[in-house]
Amino acid sequence: MPRPDLAALGISYRRIPLLAIGRHVYCDSRLILQAIRRLLQDWLNDQIFWHASRCLPFERSAVASSPAFLNDRSEALGRPFRIEDMIKERPESYAYIRAMFQTLESFLEDGRDWFVGSEQPSLADIDAVYIAQWLVTNPLMEGATPEAFISEKLFPKTYAWVYRFKQALRDAESGATVATVVSGQEALDQITSAPVTALQGDISDTDPLGLRVGQAVSIHPTDWASKHIDHGELVMLAADQVCIQNARGVLVHFPRWKFRVQAAEEDRSSTSVPITDGLPLIDRPHRLFYHPLSPFSRKVYMFALELGTADRIELQKVVVAPVKYPGWSDDVPTVAESNPLAKLPTLVLGNNGDGVYDSQVICDFLEDEALTNKRSDLGPRNWRLRTLHGCADGMMDAQVLIFYEKKIRAENNIAYQAWIDGQNEKILRGLDQFELEVGRGTLQALANDTPASAAECAVATSEWFQQWQKRGSFIKSRADVDWKTGEAVDIGFGRDVLNGKKG
């Protein structure tokens, strides 16, 4: 939601909490803890909070149906925020949260009261407890997690630790000085009138960004709410944090972890390390919407394997169809969030959630991201191969159309055999062209250590190119193999339809 008090300080950062010490404002809870004690044990994965937030009782909250709330969350995430998606994805989150509780239980199984064996809670306890305490003791979260997965019976030591921490917090509060509550205007006046104090840390001469003190920079999170960008003059760039002075004179601190700092657009030409206009750096894996029976999906995954970048891609198997058909079109809304055509494959970028679609475009993106130039040995063959790429894609289109005709339209008694025959003729003509190009030398055998081009992957997807049968990327992307585990799977009637045995 809007942050008028922060806006008054000239800060675009929108997440809470923040900490002000004099004129210095610290963003992100992890950096806040560092500022308090200069010590933080980064124990929990940031993604756990996202999984815990899925457990919020949206069903009984009026705020969850508020257009203002939904629009605010969508704007922060950079993609549509839908309550129904959060609810649908809860089972996955239960698994993550249960794993967290199991880890906590293992830390405490020797009977210790606190994580590091201290007499009082340490910062390790503070960092580790907040999500567990929120789920266990917050009245809002009552019943949020199924007792079959997370309960005091299953994790007695963890629950006891949470209750013990809450009591320790009450005891500490009883003897602490009561915090003074100030208004937004009072906070603004105090922060902007505070003297500028010395900074702890400086820009390292060996920092890979090559930025310098006094340079105009921008900074923003790389996980979410990344469209809220702060600007200012760089005053410190240490190994663990960045500090800028914004237009209001406020010294704003950010952690280095999961934040991107770069020269302002007008100042990029003066940086000692060139900043390219190419693809953004990726801080988290991409996600590929795919189906093993989609030849276009297979082409993309094969190419990622050839580039050696498949480990940067999370695979999400989905089913989509151009018409509503139970079991075949269930994931159209999910894919459509990233690709308005709701077609496969679709690549969702890890750094900002943008969708990249059309298999040729995805292949170009993966190649650019891998910083791999097109093979120098292609030479005059390049355009012939790219033409064959288009031919192979057309053959894949024909395969998909035959598939729909034999399955969906046949079940509704509107299959058109002449249409099927016409698509088969396209495929046969394409195979004839492949044979011709082998004779021309356009299609050649590759050494195992030579990455294939996207065009060669497209041709190989037709399963015609016999020399690919034992190639690693070909084997790992077969429809009857689980792409994540490499294990054989039963793909059911889908293969029978393709082989003409059903439908």
Side-chain angles (χ1 to χ4, degrees):
M1 304 298 282
R3 305 281 192 260
D5 293 337
L6 294 182
L9 289 166
I11 297 175
S12 295
Y13 180 75
R14 55 152 292 129
R15 302 189 324 207
I16 56 173
L18 295 92
L19 173 71
I21 302 178
R23 190 180 283 260
H24 297 262
V25 177
Y26 293 83
C27 305
D28 192 272
S29 59
R30 299 191 184 282
L31 186 59
I32 290 171
L33 286 172
Q34 287 182 357
I36 294 172
R37 288 284 303 273
R38 310 295 300 168
L39 174 65
L40 174 65
Q41 298 183 31
D42 189 6
W43 183 82
L44 278 177
N45 189 303
D46 291 340
Q47 288 186 345
I48 291 293
F49 178 77
W50 176 250
H51 287 293
S53 69
R54 284 179 178 168
C55 300
L56 281 164
F58 296 112
E59 300 92 330
R60 58 177 189 258
S61 172
V63 175
S65 60
S66 164
F69 171 79
L70 297 175
N71 291 337
D72 177 75
R73 289 298 179 268
S74 296
E75 190 274 338
L77 291 172
R79 56 181 172 81
F81 176 84
R82 296 189 176 95
I83 298 300
E84 56 268 29
D85 290 341
M86 297 287 280
I87 295 173
K88 179 182 177 181
E89 294 165 353
R90 277 178 183 166
E92 177 190 38
S93 295
Y94 295 152
Y96 274 89
I97 294 169
R98 181 173 63 176
M100 179 192 77
F101 272 79
Q102 287 175 336
T103 303
L104 291 169
E105 194 77 5
S106 68
F107 268 98
L108 301 163
E109 64 182 358
D110 61 359
R112 68 180 65 193
D113 285 343
W114 308 111
F115 261 36
V116 296
S118 55
E119 294 184 1
Q120 299 294 330
S122 68
L123 281 174
D125 294 280
I126 294 172
D127 191 37
V129 79
Y130 73 101
I131 292 178
Q133 182 180 356
W134 185 49
L135 291 169
V136 170
T137 67
N138 192 315
L140 174 68
M141 301 302 290
E142 184 177 357
T145 52
E147 291 190 358
F149 306 130
I150 299 105
S151 68
E152 188 169 3
K153 181 179 179 180
L154 293 172
F155 304 107
K157 295 186 183 299
T158 302
Y159 272 69
W161 169 68
V162 169
Y163 296 139
R164 192 161 51 246
F165 182 89
K166 190 170 184 179
Q167 183 59 51
L169 186 60
R170 291 196 197 98
D171 294 342
E173 288 175 341
S174 65
T177 302
V178 178
T180 302
V181 178
V182 298
S183 67
Q185 183 60 49
E186 289 171 329
L188 171 64
D189 294 339
Q190 290 180 20
I191 293 171
T192 54
S193 63
V196 177
T197 56
L199 293 169
Q200 296 182 6
D202 200 350
I203 294 181
S204 169
D205 292 336
T206 59
D207 194 277
L209 294 182
L211 301 173
R212 63 184 186 278
V213 171
Q215 188 170 0
V217 298
S218 64
I219 185 167
H220 62 85
T222 57
D223 47 4
W224 65 280
S226 57
K227 292 184 179 180
H228 291 262
I229 303 174
D230 277 280
H231 303 269
E233 179 182 310
L234 185 63
V235 295
M236 184 183 73
L237 186 65
D240 61 342
Q241 64 173 296
V242 179
C243 180
I244 63 172
Q245 187 167 29
N246 68 13
R248 294 299 306 269
V250 178
L251 296 161
V252 190
H253 297 248
F254 298 90
R256 295 296 296 268
W257 178 248
K258 292 196 173 182
F259 279 78
R260 178 169 297 132
V261 58
Q262 58 188 15
E265 291 292 337
E266 65 273 13
D267 197 30
R268 288 194 178 191
S269 61
S270 62
T271 57
S272 58
V273 175
I275 297 178
T276 68
D277 292 326
L279 298 170
L281 296 176
I282 301 303
D283 301 292
R284 58 200 306 182
H286 302 313
R287 181 157 37 106
L288 181 68
F289 290 129
Y290 82 103
H291 193 281
L293 289 178
S294 161
F296 296 99
S297 296
R298 186 182 185 190
K299 176 184 74 173
V300 165
Y301 188 57
M302 283 177 65
F303 191 44
L305 289 167
E306 291 288 335
L307 292 173
T309 59
D311 58 344
R312 303 180 198 170
I313 297 174
E314 293 179 351
L315 296 170
Q316 183 169 341
K317 182 180 175 182
V318 295
V319 286
V320 297
V323 295
K324 288 187 177 181
Y325 197 88
W328 289 68
S329 60
D330 299 357
D331 298 310
V332 165
T334 299
V335 178
E337 289 182 6
S338 304
N339 178 352
L341 303 178
K343 295 177 68 175
L344 301 182
T346 294
L347 186 71
V348 182
L349 302 190
N351 65 327
N352 59 16
D354 285 346
V356 177
Y357 40 91
D358 186 275
S359 60
Q360 288 199 46
V361 176
I362 296 175
C363 287
D364 288 343
F365 175 90
L366 293 176
E367 186 171 44
D368 283 348
E369 184 186 56
L371 303 179
T372 302
N373 295 323
K374 297 187 185 298
R375 291 210 321 265
S376 59
D377 67 305
L378 295 180
R381 296 170 50 223
N382 182 44
W383 284 106
R384 290 304 308 158
L385 275 174
R386 295 185 70 172
T387 301
L388 288 184
H389 191 166
C391 177
D393 279 0
M395 294 164 65
M396 294 181 209
D397 271 327
Q399 287 179 305
V400 172
L401 291 172
I402 292 172
F403 189 86
Y404 284 135
E405 197 75 16
K406 286 189 172 183
K407 175 59 184 174
I408 297 177
R409 290 173 61 85
E411 288 193 0
N412 290 278
N413 298 316
I414 54 174
Y416 186 29
Q417 187 59 44
W419 174 269
I420 296 174
D421 294 342
Q423 302 305 319
N424 275 322
E425 289 175 6
K426 291 182 184 179
I427 295 172
L428 292 173
R429 288 195 297 268
L431 293 174
D432 288 341
Q433 185 65 37
F434 291 169
E435 292 283 358
L436 177 63
E437 297 298 341
V438 169
R440 289 180 173 180
T442 307
L443 294 174
Q444 302 172 359
L446 295 175
N448 287 331
D449 59 349
T450 301
S453 68
E456 288 165 318
C457 289
V459 172
T461 301
S462 69
E463 302 201 21
W464 161 85
F465 208 17
Q466 294 296 319
Q467 293 167 329
W468 277 64
Q469 300 296 313
K470 295 183 179 180
R471 196 171 180 87
S473 63
F474 186 91
I475 296 170
K476 294 176 182 177
S477 63
R478 291 184 62 90
D480 54 0
V481 171
D482 187 314
W483 292 1
K484 296 181 181 180
T485 66
E487 297 177 354
V489 294
D490 180 9
I491 57 175
F493 68 85
R495 174 59 65 183
D496 293 333
V497 171
L498 287 178
N499 289 338
K501 297 178 182 178
K502 290 188 178 182

